[in-house]
Amino acid sequence: MSETIKVETTKDASGKNILEIKNMHTWFHMDSGIVKSVDGVDIELKEGSTLGIVGESGSGKSVTALSVMGLLMGTTGKIEEGQILLDGKDIVHISNEERRKLRGSKISMIFQEPMTSLNPVMKIGDQIMEAILMHQKVSKKEAEEKAIEMLRMTGLPRVEKMMKEYPFQLSGGQRQRVMIAMALVCNPEILIADEPTTALDVTIQAQILDLMNKLKKEIGTSILFITHDLGVVAEVCDQVVVMYCGRVVEKGSVYDIFDNPSHPYTEGLLNSIPKLGEHVDELESIPGNVPNPKYMPKGCKFAPRCKYAFDRCREEEPGFTDLGNGHQSRCWRCVKEGGKD
Ligand SMILES: Nc1ncnc2c1ncn2[C@@H]1O[C@H](COP(=O)(O)OP(=O)(O)O)[C@@H](O)[C@H]1O
Ligand SMILES: [Mg+2]
């Protein structure tokens, strides 16, 4: 699509699903009404692969991640319907004790701002060792060795000294590496990374993406990678899910999405990635805004912003059209143009 996009994939579309989100609805019950943040989402993560979830702010990406992690407590949010299958087992209704065991050992998450999940008054080494000791039967000495080894793997310098330092003594990029080390130290099967590079400058961002690619190969963790930036998706993802207004509007391999996008929303996101030698002010951003969840348009939720919209789009919400090889798009244009419906 553009010269700046480097597509690097490690797995094809075959392989078993380690995580399956099926028809998930997560709603928030506000005094002012119900916010349907995630409204019927299906997502499959294949073992050993990286799946990107992409969409503008407010599409429901973080709520999807928090639903999987069971981190909606303290909010008015609830999974109203649907299943989340981890290795085939539904984790929507498990006990708190079972969930505590799952977190860290089977499934870990890193956030945009590591300071929110690092303890500011605890030394780096103690935090990582605590994560190890919570899930593994090892001695303190072994936990310390493992913590040092993991920090080294993330490419951090002077690791022994850093073990004795506090989060505020580290740079933003270093803190994100510590978070990645902490998330991966118990070899989780799945890592959920929610905008892990958004707060970092471009050079550090590239280094963190390289690190995630390296760790995926070395540790074999399957990754759910959340970002608003399709340019970042090209760097790390094998499969891509495009979300808009709490729905999946297109899904497919990274090649399908970049070389053969079908949904006008995906097309809009692709046109807003800077190309080599292009001035930023020439970028075509998608006109209009994500609708207020309380006033969702009838029909296709993207129709009010879509330059191709016709009458049916404004009346009736489209289902998925199968475009082959797992590439699916939720657009009436596909039906019109004769996709396999
Ligand atoms: N704790 C919450 N309470 C109420 N509404 C929320 C809460 N968290 C998210 N939402 C709403 O859910 C929608 C999706 O949010 P989110 O998943 O954070 O979007 P994204 O991560 O794609 O930017 C937004 O409309 C947001 O306002
Ligand atoms: Mg978010």
Side-chain angles (χ1 to χ4, degrees), residues 11-29:
K11 280 269 152 79
D12 60 6
S14 58
K16 85 168 192 155
N17 292 332
I18 191 156
L19 180 75
E20 278 180 10
I21 303 175
K22 291 187 159 181
N23 191 32
M24 185 172 76
H25 297 252
T26 304
W27 298 355
F28 290 91
H29 298 261

Side-chain angles (χ1 to χ4, degrees), residues 31-247:
D31 291 340
S32 52
I34 294 177
V35 176
K36 299 182 178 178
S37 302
V38 173
D39 210 21
V41 156
D42 291 280
I43 292 172
E44 299 87 32
L45 174 63
K46 292 194 187 305
E47 193 167 35
S49 76
T50 300
L51 175 93
I53 302 184
V54 68
E56 288 165 294
S57 180
S59 338
K61 306 181 299 294
S62 294
V63 172
T64 300
L66 296 174
S67 303
V68 173
M69 291 301 287
L71 290 174
L72 292 165
M73 68 286 196
T75 75
T76 62
K78 185 169 173 268
I79 301 175
E80 305 286 329
E81 199 186 323
Q83 289 182 305
I84 301 169
L85 303 177
L86 178 62
D87 275 335
K89 183 180 182 288
D90 190 10
I91 57 166
V92 173
H93 302 292
I94 57 173
S95 68
N96 290 342
E97 176 60 17
E98 283 177 285
R99 193 173 297 287
R100 203 185 56 78
K101 279 196 203 135
L102 220 65
R103 277 199 218 120
S105 64
K106 278 221 160 207
I107 181 160
S108 276
M109 182 161 171
I110 52 174
F111 301 87
Q112 177 173 337
E113 179 36 73
M115 270 320 252
T116 56
S117 31
L118 287 174
N119 184 340
V121 295
M122 202 171 166
K123 287 177 186 157
I124 300 294
D126 291 343
Q127 299 197 42
I128 302 179
M129 284 165 64
E130 186 181 81
I132 298 169
L133 292 166
M134 200 191 295
H135 296 288
Q136 294 178 10
K137 290 189 181 61
V138 293
S139 69
K140 250 189 120 178
K141 181 88 194 104
E142 285 167 318
E144 186 181 1
E145 281 163 9
K146 186 142 201 211
I148 290 173
E149 183 197 327
M150 196 67 224
L151 285 174
R152 280 221 182 92
M153 240 177 126
T154 68
L156 281 163
R158 53 178 194 86
V159 164
E160 272 93 354
K161 186 162 173 282
M162 196 172 280
M163 288 281 284
K164 300 192 183 64
E165 289 179 337
Y166 292 93
F168 76 88
Q169 292 173 282
L170 275 52
S171 71
Q174 288 174 335
R175 283 199 287 261
Q176 200 53 284
R177 281 172 200 258
V178 169
M179 269 310 302
I180 292 172
M182 211 152 103
L184 294 179
V185 81
C186 294
N187 299 333
E189 291 172 14
I190 298 168
L191 174 70
I192 301 182
D194 190 356
E195 311 257 7
T197 60
T198 304
L200 305 171
D201 73 50
V202 180
T203 317
I204 308 293
Q205 180 171 328
Q207 290 172 6
I208 297 285
L209 295 178
D210 278 349
L211 169 66
M212 294 192 63
N213 272 332
K214 181 184 128 197
L215 293 176
K216 181 175 76 169
K217 283 191 200 114
E218 286 174 13
I219 302 176
T221 310
S222 314
I223 304 175
L224 210 59
F225 194 98
I226 297 176
T227 176
H228 65 278
D229 184 351
L230 253 179
V232 169
V233 161
E235 301 283 339
V236 285
C237 298
D238 307 307
Q239 300 285 314
V240 186
V241 160
V242 182
M243 275 186 80
Y244 187 71
C245 288
R247 289 149 176 79

